[in-house]
Amino acid sequence: LTSCGKGDSGTAAPGGGTTTMGFSQVGAESGWRTANTKSVQDAAKTAGIDLKFSDAQQKQENQIKAIRSYIQQKVDVIAFSPVVESGWDTVLKEAKNANIPVILTDRSVDSADKTLYKTFLGSDFVEEGRKAGKWLTEESKSEAGPVNIVELQGTTGSAPANDRKSGFAEVIGADPKFKIVASQSGDFTRAKGKEVMEAFLKSNPDIDVLYAHNDDMALGAIEAIEGAGKVPGKDIKIISVDAVKDGMQALADGKISYIVECSPLLGPQLMDLAKKVLAKEDVPARVVTEETTFTQEQAKKVLASRQY
Ligand code: GZL
């Protein structure tokens, strides 16, 4: 019998061929997303898994279409990062009825039925928001206030936007001197982050802090702040999330004040989980990624060694 599939380097699927994974990616909206896509694609190659990959341009209907096409193609396993938390039950039930296991990566869904996916691999976004709030509380401890904060939220309805908002609010809510004077979505992109920050600056003469849910929006906001003749990192302190290269550069340059890391390097763990699921091994319902935080001094030290 000749061995079917891509030679013996492949990971054997249940039927003996090479394992195929259908992956639906959110889009290409940020530096984080680009790094995440590279991690998934590189890890699939290393694992000998045949990856079918689609970019949804941040539209839920495109992700649902992609998942349906993976079901039609009878892939061995489906993985995706849900652009928003809600509206997945129908298509996930179709995958379950087709006996195709689903792995959530990066972002999660709000489905009550936890049997619709095997596991969720990704960061604890609420904790990321708490870390941002804790730094600001410490940084402002000698200030009487008010400390006026504007917030650039991530994509409306997405898990990172909901959870980073709630974690931050939970911590700063303990002290009435902190006032979130404006909060709006910048959709995780530089362009929208700049546009919304320009509006914030026009309607709020006295902004002390910007809390941006990702580096790309923070970098767009820096352009708006400088355009308004103010000094980012001095006139307006900036707290951001991700720690991608451009964000870390701005942190080292003093334009951003603090970054909470959110690791995009989920590829290797995703492939390991897929192999375990296909081998019918037990996997944890939740796998939380390791990540840290960076001050300006720490950014200067690690900048040269950052992978993305
Ligand atoms: C977080 C991820 C977010 C990043 C953004 O895990 O979903 O989406 O923080 C990206 O940069 O666009």
Side-chain angles (χ1 to χ4, degrees):
L1 270 180
T2 52
S3 74
C4 58
K6 310 238 173 335
D8 57 7
S9 64
T11 297
T18 298
T19 296
T20 57
M21 173 186 281
F23 189 94
S24 168
Q25 180 61 292
V26 165
E29 73 283 1
S30 62
W32 189 99
R33 191 62 56 197
T34 306
N36 179 247
T37 290
K38 185 173 183 320
S39 176
V40 169
Q41 291 175 333
D42 291 354
K45 263 196 212 92
T46 305
I49 286 176
D50 177 11
L51 184 73
K52 298 177 184 312
F53 182 92
S54 65
D55 171 332
Q57 283 102 37
Q58 290 187 275
K59 291 185 177 60
Q60 178 171 31
E61 65 266 24
N62 290 344
Q63 290 200 288
I64 290 172
K65 272 190 214 125
I67 292 169
R68 287 199 166 119
S69 100
Y70 296 144
I71 294 170
Q72 290 303 321
Q73 296 174 60
K74 297 186 174 19
V75 298
D76 297 306
V77 58
I78 290 171
F80 76 115
S81 170
V83 60
V84 292
E85 289 192 280
S86 309
W88 300 99
D89 286 30
T90 302
V91 74
L92 291 179
K93 283 190 181 107
E94 291 166 22
K96 185 177 177 185
N97 294 340
N99 288 319
I100 299 176
V102 174
I103 295 175
L104 297 183
T105 165
D106 170 27
R107 299 182 185 178
S108 191
V109 300
D110 61 9
S111 304
D113 181 354
K114 301 299 179 199
T115 69
L116 293 176
Y117 53 91
K118 294 295 179 191
T119 183
F120 164 42
L121 161 65
S123 304
D124 179 343
F125 302 129
V126 177
E127 189 51 34
E128 290 173 349
R130 291 195 192 102
K131 286 176 183 175
K134 283 174 190 159
W135 179 84
L136 183 58
T137 301
E138 181 57 28
E139 180 71 13
S140 315
K141 66 174 183 290
S142 56
E143 290 178 41
V147 177
N148 295 325
I149 302 160
V150 293
E151 180 179 27
L152 283 171
Q153 297 181 37
T155 301
T156 303
S158 69
N162 292 338
D163 294 352
R164 285 171 185 166
K165 181 172 175 45
S166 63
F168 182 74
E170 176 195 302
V171 171
I172 64 159
D175 187 334
K177 76 179 178 185
F178 293 116
K179 306 224 178 295
I180 297 183
V181 296
S183 180
Q184 195 181 322
S185 174
D187 211 15
F188 284 130
T189 67
R190 288 193 194 205
K192 198 84 176 102
K194 178 180 179 184
E195 186 189 311
V196 174
M197 189 66 201
E198 282 165 350
F200 284 167
L201 286 159
K202 284 198 182 74
S203 50
N204 299 277
D206 181 17
I207 299 172
D208 301 306
V209 178
L210 162 64
Y211 170 44
H213 290 185
N214 84 330
D215 292 343
D216 290 73
M217 292 190 293
L219 292 161
I222 284 170
E223 289 178 44
I225 292 167
E226 290 175 332
K230 293 181 183 243
V231 180
K234 297 269 179 300
D235 299 332
I236 298 178
K237 286 195 177 16
I238 300 179
I239 308 164
S240 183
V241 185
D242 276 351
V244 295
K245 193 96 173 183
D246 291 347
M248 293 291 273
Q249 184 64 63
L251 180 61
D253 295 344
K255 294 189 176 185
I256 291 180
S257 313
Y258 187 67
I259 297 186
V260 175
E261 185 186 37
C262 175
S263 175
L265 304 180
L266 305 176
Q269 284 174 287
L270 172 58
M271 299 309 152
D272 283 350
L273 285 166
K275 287 180 184 175
K276 286 190 168 74
V277 163
L278 290 172
K280 303 275 186 264
E281 290 173 27
D282 278 346
V283 293
R286 181 78 171 86
V287 179
V288 182
T289 36
E290 296 296 313
E291 51 205 30
T292 182
T293 56
F294 294 99
T295 62
Q296 290 173 350
E297 284 320 304
Q298 289 164 334
K300 286 177 191 151
K301 290 199 185 82
V302 301
L303 192 59
S305 63
R306 294 294 288 174
Q307 291 180 54
Y308 54 88

